[in-house]
Amino acid sequence: MRTTSARTKASASGQRILILSAGVGSGHNSAAAAVQQACTARADTAEVQVLDVLQVSSVLYRALLGKGYFVLVEDLPWLVEWGYDISNPPYRRRGPIDPWTRVNAAPVVSAIKRFRPTAIVCTHFLPAQLLASLLLRGVIDAKTAVVTTDYDFQGLSLSGAFHKIFVAREEGKVELMALGLPSDRVAATGIPISKQLTPAPERNANKPPMLLISAGATGGDYVVSVVRQTMHMRSEFTATVVCGHNDALRQRIEALVASAGDRYSVLGFTSEMPQLLQRADLFVGKPGGLSASECMAAGLPMVLVNPIPGQEVRNGDYLMEQGAAVRCNAAATIGWKIDEVLREPGRLQKMQSAAQRTGRPNAAADVLSALLGGPSRPLVVTRAAQRTILAASEQRFVATDLTGPSSLVRLVDQASGGTVALLQEEELADLQKRYSTPDGDLVLRPSKASLLLHWEERRLLRAMLRGDDALPVRVEGRLAPFRDLPG
């Protein structure tokens, strides 16, 4: 099935929300499902639809982006890490969408036009980049949000036009504001996860700790080493091993633990994962963004094994910084590492408390509230401003350190108080020549001689005005000092 749709009200005045994901791994689609669940809980939602953009693209495009990624993870992890690092600086790629991607995006554009959404939420950077292009061309008139699904912010998620970007933690917001992004367009909400619809069972402190050992949805073979090492542990415990869709792995684990009696429970893919997270005392597995977010919301600390270079390693760094995880870098010491956590008095309980503090179970609802209740005009980041932000990132500058023609200024909607454009100071002079009033105010208007305007100015006006005859704005040239940033 390519799309899923849920109607909650027949009212034509309600919100029509489109959620765009990309099935590169299960996390982006899981976040999309969580946002969909939060949509259906709102009284103002008329219709919500979820679309995996890869499912409506060509087979070759889908294979290269989806399956190709996991081939690299398995066989060339160093290349994955290199690719993550090289693409991390924001706006490194500022050109238009490449022709191949544009052709594969045609079904998505058609779906958007048919659905006529009032709001669009992206849980992957691919549709986010497409939406920026559509906003700047005046093709869509919906509020748009970009939702990141890892704890570390990745620069590919930052596009040239959007209404709101949602990051997983406060440090991500500080990073973007330090680069010059306005605070009213960035929110730290956590990673969207589905809410538990049934009460969470109480953990039984009188029973041996329960380990939840996860192979992920696809069933990673690294779990064999994990289980084998736990069989040498000295601590009392029980373990549930979840093997995902890998039936061969499940059979292999069942044979491995056959002599251990009822200490181990071995499962394939299960829809009961939320309940298992609530019952377990310690999670053993990979720190994917969604898995980690679900564990934190359940107050479940983690033993991290076999992280994917790049985002999962950085997810793990954050969880360890919070005191909610430990990482094991050698398969031969996994059992010892878990033993260390279980045998030290009070350590497991401290880690569980840290996980509870880190969890953001209401992230999906918070994303929707901030988007739907936020500015109606998008933020446009001009190409010149993107060059400044990239330079600041690469040179490790804070935006307020920048001076001269390439420094950043903001245009703020006088009526709403929301920032509508981020541009270089030298770009401002041309706008002031064309749109300054006798009183010295700046009122943007559709130009009768639009063909004489630079194309950047044309798309800037089109996105900001959104069909209005005039938009009074004020200029804010001084960005917030770094010491005033949140955190």
Side-chain angles (χ1 to χ4, degrees), residues 208-330:
M210 173 187 158
L211 308 180
L212 180 57
I213 303 172
S214 173
T218 57
D221 288 340
Y222 63 88
V223 166
V224 176
S225 297
V226 173
V227 174
R228 184 178 288 117
Q229 288 299 315
T230 61
M231 298 178 75
H232 299 289
M233 286 172 49
R234 295 170 293 172
S235 304
E236 284 192 85
F237 71 93
T238 61
T240 297
V241 186
V242 181
C243 300
H245 294 288
N246 192 336
D247 288 336
L249 175 65
R250 178 180 55 79
Q251 294 170 11
R252 190 176 174 189
I253 297 294
E254 287 175 340
L256 180 63
V257 302
S259 62
D262 58 359
R263 169 171 276 192
Y264 293 88
S265 173
V266 184
L267 306 175
F269 180 81
T270 175
S271 60
E272 300 297 314
M273 201 66 179
Q275 291 79 7
L276 292 174
L277 292 171
Q278 295 286 352
R279 290 199 297 269
D281 296 285
L282 189 62
F283 179 96
V284 185
K286 293 160 62 65
L290 268 291
S291 296
S293 186
E294 288 168 347
C295 284
M296 296 302 102
L300 181 62
M302 305 177 74
V303 176
L304 310 177
V305 296
N306 205 44
I308 294 174
Q311 68 269 32
E312 288 192 356
V313 169
R314 297 189 185 198
N315 287 342
D317 289 343
Y318 172 69
L319 297 173
M320 291 187 290
E321 182 182 295
Q322 302 307 304
V326 296
R327 185 166 69 207
C328 188
N329 294 322

Side-chain angles (χ1 to χ4, degrees), residues 349-362:
Q349 289 72 29
K350 289 179 181 178
M351 290 179 67
Q352 289 172 340
S353 297
Q356 195 75 57
R357 290 193 303 270
T358 306
R360 302 289 290 271
N362 298 316

Side-chain angles (χ1 to χ4, degrees), residues 449-465:
S450 61
L451 292 179
L452 300 179
L453 298 180
H454 187 273
W455 69 274
E456 179 80 350
E457 187 174 327
R458 289 203 301 271
R459 72 178 197 153
L460 181 69
L461 290 174
R462 184 167 50 219
M464 286 192 297
L465 289 171

Side-chain angles (χ1 to χ4, degrees), residues 35-294:
V35 175
Q36 181 186 28
Q37 183 191 59
C39 288
T40 59
R42 291 180 62 98
D44 60 351
T45 302
E47 187 173 2
V48 55
Q49 190 175 97
V50 179
L51 176 63
D52 181 338
V53 300
L54 290 187
Q55 290 301 313
V56 294
S57 62
S58 68
V59 174
L60 180 58
Y61 190 82
R62 183 164 65 247
L64 286 176
L65 269 68
K67 296 179 182 178
Y69 172 75
F70 290 103
V71 170
L72 292 178
V73 167
E74 186 69 26
D75 298 331
L76 297 169
W78 61 269
L79 188 57
V80 174
E81 184 172 23
W82 176 84
Y84 185 91
D85 291 339
I86 202 70
S87 62
N88 194 39
Y91 298 123
R92 169 158 282 176
R93 183 179 181 276
R94 296 183 301 277
I97 297 173
D98 63 85
W100 193 32
T101 298
R102 188 177 296 279
V103 169
N104 279 278
V108 181
V109 177
S110 297
I112 293 172
K113 291 178 178 178
R114 285 195 305 271
F115 187 65
R116 304 187 311 280
T118 56
I120 307 175
V121 180
C122 300
T123 62
H124 191 275
F125 70 85
L126 276 177
Q129 298 293 343
L130 172 64
L131 287 187
S133 174
L134 298 179
L135 281 171
L136 291 169
R137 288 160 46 204
V139 175
I140 61 172
D141 189 27
K143 291 184 177 182
T144 63
V146 185
V147 179
T148 60
T149 57
D150 285 295
Y151 283 108
D152 202 61
F153 179 78
Q154 220 280 343
L156 282 173
S157 298
L158 201 54
S159 64
F162 57 89
H163 287 73
K164 203 88 171 181
I165 186 165
F166 296 95
V167 295
R169 54 176 172 147
E170 201 67 26
E171 185 175 340
K173 181 174 182 177
V174 171
E175 177 185 354
L176 291 178
M177 289 180 62
L179 293 176
L181 272 292
S183 62
D184 59 324
R185 298 296 185 153
V186 186
T189 54
I191 300 169
I193 58 172
S194 297
K195 295 201 67 141
Q196 267 287 87
L197 301 179
T198 56
E202 293 289 333
R203 290 189 174 98
N204 191 335
N206 297 318
K207 290 186 176 181
M210 173 187 158
L211 308 180
L212 180 57
I213 303 172
S214 173
T218 57
D221 288 340
Y222 63 88
V223 166
V224 176
S225 297
V226 173
V227 174
R228 184 178 288 117
Q229 288 299 315
T230 61
M231 298 178 75
H232 299 289
M233 286 172 49
R234 295 170 293 172
S235 304
E236 284 192 85
F237 71 93
T238 61
T240 297
V241 186
V242 181
C243 300
H245 294 288
N246 192 336
D247 288 336
L249 175 65
R250 178 180 55 79
Q251 294 170 11
R252 190 176 174 189
I253 297 294
E254 287 175 340
L256 180 63
V257 302
S259 62
D262 58 359
R263 169 171 276 192
Y264 293 88
S265 173
V266 184
L267 306 175
F269 180 81
T270 175
S271 60
E272 300 297 314
M273 201 66 179
Q275 291 79 7
L276 292 174
L277 292 171
Q278 295 286 352
R279 290 199 297 269
D281 296 285
L282 189 62
F283 179 96
V284 185
K286 293 160 62 65
L290 268 291
S291 296
S293 186
E294 288 168 347

Side-chain angles (χ1 to χ4, degrees), residues 375-406:
S376 59
R377 300 182 196 275
L379 170 71
V380 180
V381 185
T382 67
R383 294 287 180 82
Q386 291 175 30
R387 289 195 296 270
T388 294
I389 293 171
L390 175 62
S393 173
E394 293 180 331
Q395 298 172 30
R396 296 176 173 85
F397 275 19
V398 174
T400 49
D401 293 338
L402 302 170
T403 58
S406 64

